[in-house]
Amino acid sequence: MDLIAQLEAEQIAALGKTIPDFKAGDTVRVGYKVTEGSRSRVQAYEGVCIGRHGGGIHESFTVRKISYGEGVERVFPIYSPMIDSIKLVRRGKD
């Protein structure tokens, strides 16, 4: 393993996050932290994962949902400190 991959593996292990095994087509619920003024809360964003990009500490995924008849897509970095949890709601077809 080269030095950069080793450092990334150490950083991921230090975060201590458990990421479920999901892929494109799966429905996920992402709890992310929202700060409004001096208050902070966790807001759920549920939709279909339409792709995963990158690798290691820089990996991200895109979630698409329908909100009031409009399609909304959002990209989440997997190891962001703003993400509280990622839950797999339903598997897609294989």
Side-chain angles (χ1 to χ4, degrees):
M1 187 183 296
D2 63 340
L3 182 61
I4 293 176
Q6 183 180 1
L7 289 173
E8 284 185 354
E10 290 175 7
Q11 288 177 344
I12 290 171
L15 292 173
K17 286 191 173 185
T18 57
I19 306 298
D21 182 32
F22 67 94
K23 58 184 180 180
D26 295 344
T27 302
V28 292
R29 182 179 296 131
V30 181
Y32 65 98
K33 298 173 188 171
V34 176
T35 304
E36 296 170 336
S38 61
R39 297 172 47 199
S40 180
R41 63 186 174 88
V42 176
Q43 182 171 350
Y45 190 92
E46 183 173 338
V48 177
C49 175
I50 60 171
R52 289 179 73 157
H53 316 284
I57 196 87
H58 303 289
E59 188 173 1
S60 62
F61 63 102
T62 306
V63 178
R64 179 179 175 86
K65 74 174 188 174
I66 305 297
S67 180
Y68 298 104
E70 291 288 324
V72 180
E73 293 180 5
R74 184 156 182 182
V75 178
F76 295 99
I78 287 185
Y79 296 105
S80 170
M82 298 303 290
I83 291 190
D84 185 58
S85 64
I86 301 172
K87 295 179 182 157
L88 181 64
V89 176
R90 182 178 43 191
R91 290 257 181 222
K93 286 187 172 180
D94 285 331

